[in-house]
Structures are given as C-alpha cells and as structure tokens.
Amino acid sequence: MASVINDPNGRRRIQFTGPDGRRRTVRLGKISRKDADGICRQIELILNTRLNGQPLPRDTALWVTEIGDQLRDRLTKAGLLDDDPRAVIPTLQEFIEDHLNRRTAEVKASTMTVLRQAARWLLRALPGEMRLDEITTADADRVRLGLLKGRARATANKWTRLIREFFNAAVTRKIIETNPFGHIRGLAVVGDRSRQQIIPASEVQKVMEVVPCPQFRAIIALARWGGLRCPTEVMALRWSDVNLAEGRMIVRASKTEHHEDGGIRIVPIFAELRPYLETLWEIAGVGEDRLITRYREGTSVNLRTQLNRWCLMAGVRPWKKPYQNMRATRATELADRYPSHVCAAWLGHTEAIADAFYRMVRDEHFQQAATEGISVEKPDAKSDAIGAQNAAQQIIAVLRALSQLGAQTKESQDLMADPAILDEVLQIIQMGATGFEPVTDRV
C-alpha cells in the first residue's frame, strides 16, 4: 500500500514498498492533498500490476502518458515505470474509448452519435490492438481511401476530419508526437452541386395528394414552404411557438443553439404553409403542445424512405436529398423576392452559407433574362439640374458660415454679393473633378 506523507511548507511525498521489497519514496513537492491522493491511487494500481505481472489498466496507462516529464522520471527511478516510454502508450481501442468518454460531458448526444460512428469507421479500417504510436501516415492514407469508396467526397471528408481530430487530441495530450492524419488536406465542408435539385411546387402538390397522414403532409410543407431543417427543427415545433393569428412562428434550431441568438428565430407562416398548420390545429389533441406527435426520434421510421414511397405512388421520381433540397429550393425562391439578410434571418443561416449550400439557379432565371433583359435607367436632366442647384446652395451656405466665423467685414459681404463669384461656383459644380478619370462636363 502507498501512503501520502505531509512535509513542512505544504510539501508532500508518497511512500510505498516496491516489488523488490524495498521502501521507496516519490517526492511531489508543493501539491494539494487532493492531487497527492490521486497520484497515490495510481501508484497503487501500478504496484498491483507489477506484482501480478499484468499490463497497466487502460485508465492508468492513459494517465501515465499525460503526466509531466518530471513526475514520470521520479516514477521510473522508483521502479514503477519502464525506461521505455512506449510501454505506456495505449492501444487504438483504449484511446478511442477514453477519448469518447471524455467528450460525453462536452457535446450533445447527437454529436456523440456522430463521433462514435467515426470511431467505428476507424476501427474497421485499423486493428484496435495497434499501439497509437504505431499508426503511420500510410495507415492514414489507407483509412482515407476506404472512406472514399462508395461514398460522396463530402461524406468521406466529414469522417476523415473527425478521425483527424481524434489524433489531434492524442497529440495535445502528448500521447503521440505527430498526427498521422495531419498531412491530409482539402477536408473543408463544401456543397455537392451534383446533388442539388430544385423541387417544383407542382411535384410536391402531387405527392401531397397521396399522403394520407396530415402530420406527414405538414412535415413536407414545413420543409418545402417553411424552409425548416428536417427533422430537428420540424420535430421541435410546438403550438406554443405558433401564432396563426399574426402569421409567425418561433423556430428552435439545435444546430445553432450555441450561437449568440441561442438558435431561436422568428419565421413567417407563409401562405403556402398555412393550410397544413391549420389542419393540424383542428385535429390536435387537448393539451398537446407538439405539432408532430408521430415520426419522433427513437422510432424506426425513416422520413426519407417513407417520402420516397409516396413519391413513387404519385408518379414522381424521388428527389435527391429531399428535405435539404426542399429547404434549398425555398431559400432560392425567397432570395429572388426578399433582401438577402431577411432570407438569412428567416432560414437561420448566414448569407455565405446560403450561397454555398442552398441557393441555386432556376430555369425561370434564364427565361427572365432572355425575355425581359436588364433595363438601364437614362439620366434625368431635370433631376441633374435640381441636384446642381442644391449643391450650389450648400456651398453658398458654407461660404456664409465661414464669413460669419470671421470678422463681418465689408470685404466678405462684397465677396458674397459678387455675381461673378456665384457664377464661378455654379461652373465648378457643373464640372467633373479631375482625378483618375478624364474630365467630364457633368458629375
């Protein structure tokens, strides 16, 4: 057994009997009692493994990799650790499990689901018993190649980026010196234009006619005409957030809840969307606050698969990425009619994100350009004259103010009354300034 001994001036040391039967001491210096007790527990675990000839427990092995060089040297001199630092490097499986446990308290449950999926892809490509420092850049390239097979590049980039973050954490914790995935670049999230698709309202209406469930029709309408993210924002809607009288609703986005606005935005109840919400309101149960009570998270229902079935029944070819493309189609329609900052506020994303992932070129844009053209307004001579006159009056006012600031002399009054001076002022106003551009007769 190991024990903590308090020395003067807040210094502490741990004494224990080593595997060779000799009394050993590890001096800790000035340290809190809590930290000293924690080190003492780890020393006892190391002693037990030494005596029994077993490998270090996973948590203890990871703890050893994170302690400072000074404490590691003292443990090594006390016969607790081997001189070879590789002896305490955890395996890939051990590190991944410990890393995910650490992240559980930091991220949302949905994020943890994604991280665990990335870990599964990694452990399918590399054996879990590999030591973390044995993984090379060649292994990383092999993992990357496997992720690219049968997947869109954006999806492979997502998993590669998460796996690279695992190894970044290992570098930060000084378990390994370099990240074997660090050389892989070009993993930024970019929109896949090949999978973008305008979803016409006429096709959506045809599908709506064969969907028997009013709640499923509302899901489609909220995505297509409300521009809501599905399923997260759609499933989060409550009747207490919907104001049919004023034509507004509060949308809560878990994806952006870490932003300054808390992921909360106010969205108009568009005219195309209103009938579906009114139908739900009429059939809503007493005391029921959720708009969508079916198709909740945790069920086996796949909204995309179910929608594809309805599309086929309606004689409509299933859409690519249907819910995201319905939101993107709405973003494109709103951008044609409202200022970009208004669209961004209603849809809950920045204008840059809208340009990269949502807004698309429609056939109507080409037709409008071919038939209507772009009108260029001709200069209005009358408005130009009025503008010059206003400018002249402003300059005269300035000259009068300057004269008032100075002495009210007869010379300044004569200057303001001289018609030649006023004529010169008007000529200056009507002449263009000389700069990088040639002189013109009008501003």
Side-chain angles (χ1 to χ4, degrees):
M1 293 293 293
S3 59
V4 177
I5 298 177
N6 298 324
D7 291 332
N9 299 324
R11 300 179 183 276
R12 292 180 172 85
R13 53 193 164 94
I14 297 176
Q15 285 190 343
F16 60 92
T17 301
D20 56 0
R22 296 175 57 187
R23 194 72 174 170
R24 304 277 186 173
T25 299
V26 175
R27 300 187 182 278
L28 303 178
K30 290 186 177 181
I31 189 175
S32 68
R33 178 73 190 199
K34 180 179 178 181
D35 290 340
D37 288 339
I39 296 174
C40 185
R41 286 192 295 270
Q42 297 294 348
I43 288 177
E44 289 179 346
L45 291 171
I46 296 173
L47 280 172
N48 290 333
T49 59
R50 287 284 187 178
L51 292 172
N52 298 325
Q54 297 176 343
L56 290 176
R58 182 186 71 249
D59 293 342
T60 303
L62 291 170
W63 174 80
V64 171
T65 63
E66 295 175 350
I67 61 177
D69 294 338
Q70 187 178 42
L71 178 57
R72 183 183 292 107
D73 291 342
R74 291 176 180 176
L75 295 178
T76 301
K77 291 178 180 179
L80 294 172
L81 299 179
D82 295 331
D83 292 334
D84 182 7
R86 289 169 51 85
V88 294
I89 298 295
T91 64
L92 177 61
Q93 179 79 43
E94 292 172 343
F95 170 75
I96 290 297
E97 291 179 0
D98 179 74
H99 178 71
L100 293 178
N101 289 335
R102 291 169 179 259
R103 296 301 306 276
T104 300
E106 302 174 353
V107 300
K108 296 181 294 186
S110 58
T111 303
M112 280 305 305
T113 300
V114 175
L115 292 177
R116 293 188 186 281
Q117 182 62 56
R120 282 195 290 271
W121 293 129
L122 175 60
L123 291 172
R124 287 180 185 180
L126 297 177
E129 60 272 15
M130 284 186 69
R131 299 165 71 97
L132 211 60
D133 59 341
E134 294 175 345
I135 299 174
T136 65
T137 55
D139 295 322
D141 290 336
R142 188 167 65 254
V143 173
R144 170 67 172 168
L145 183 60
L147 291 173
L148 285 169
K149 291 182 178 179
R151 295 183 180 88
R153 178 170 290 272
T155 303
N157 286 352
K158 171 185 175 181
W159 298 125
T160 307
R161 189 172 60 255
L162 291 173
I163 291 172
R164 186 173 66 181
E165 290 177 3
F166 293 162
F167 287 88
N168 279 338
V171 173
T172 301
R173 293 165 59 183
K174 298 182 179 179
I175 300 175
I176 55 178
E177 295 183 359
T178 59
N179 186 341
F181 287 80
H183 68 288
I184 301 177
R185 303 298 180 186
L187 302 180
V189 178
V190 293
D192 187 354
R193 295 291 180 180
S194 66
R195 301 190 67 193
Q196 286 188 336
Q197 177 183 3
I198 290 291
I199 300 182
S202 58
E203 291 188 7
V204 176
Q205 292 288 5
K206 289 181 64 177
V207 175
M208 291 287 203
E209 293 174 1
V210 302
V211 176
C213 177
Q215 290 198 16
F216 206 102
R217 290 197 296 268
I219 291 173
I220 298 173
L222 286 165
R224 176 58 180 84
W225 290 298
L228 271 64
R229 297 181 178 93
C230 184
T232 54
E233 294 179 352
V234 172
M235 295 301 176
L237 271 181
R238 298 178 178 272
W239 285 116
S240 53
D241 295 330
V242 177
N243 190 331
L244 289 171
E246 295 186 5
R248 299 181 182 185
M249 59 183 176
I250 298 174
V251 176
R252 306 176 189 275
S254 59
K255 183 175 183 178
T256 58
E257 65 183 3
H258 59 285
H259 292 178
E260 186 177 353
D261 59 5
I264 298 174
R265 67 183 190 275
I266 299 177
V267 179
I269 299 176
F270 298 97
E272 306 97 323
L273 173 61
R274 175 177 285 274
Y276 301 96
L277 296 185
E278 291 177 341
T279 300
L280 281 190
W281 174 249
E282 293 173 359
I283 64 175
V286 178
E288 180 58 58
D289 195 29
R290 294 185 182 274
L291 265 74
I292 308 299
T293 56
R294 302 180 63 186
Y295 317 107
R296 306 294 308 174
E297 289 186 39
T299 67
S300 59
V301 176
N302 185 310
L303 294 178
R304 180 177 60 83
T305 301
Q306 186 63 47
L307 177 60
N308 287 345
R309 294 194 186 104
W310 298 131
C311 287
L312 292 173
M313 290 183 62
V316 174
R317 185 173 181 177
W319 306 299
K320 303 174 183 177
K321 299 169 60 177
Y323 295 104
Q324 183 172 345
N325 277 325
M326 281 194 276
R327 173 175 160 84
T329 301
R330 194 51 167 173
T332 303
E333 293 172 346
L334 295 177
D336 290 343
R337 186 166 182 180
Y338 299 98
S340 59
H341 69 281
V342 174
C343 301
W346 285 348
L347 294 176
H349 53 228
T350 64
E351 297 178 47
I353 290 296
D355 290 336
F357 293 94
Y358 294 110
R359 296 172 186 167
M360 295 176 280
V361 179
R362 300 191 295 167
D363 291 340
E364 290 84 348
H365 295 146
F366 289 96
Q367 295 172 3
Q368 182 179 4
T371 57
E372 299 178 10
I374 301 177
S375 60
V376 179
E377 296 182 0
K378 296 181 179 180
D380 189 344
K382 182 177 180 181
S383 62
D384 285 352
I386 294 175
Q389 182 179 357
N390 291 338
Q393 292 174 352
Q394 292 175 3
I395 292 181
I396 291 173
V398 172
L399 293 174
R400 286 175 176 168
L402 291 174
S403 65
Q404 291 174 3
L405 289 174
Q408 293 288 347
T409 63
K410 184 176 183 302
E411 289 77 5
S412 63
Q413 296 175 2
D414 293 341
L415 180 65
M416 295 304 304
D418 190 345
I421 296 296
L422 296 180
D423 183 63
E424 184 176 353
V425 169
L426 289 175
Q427 290 181 10
I428 292 174
I429 294 171
Q430 294 176 354
M431 292 291 292
T434 302
F436 292 108
E437 298 294 335
V439 177
T440 60
D441 58 354
R442 289 281 178 171
V443 175

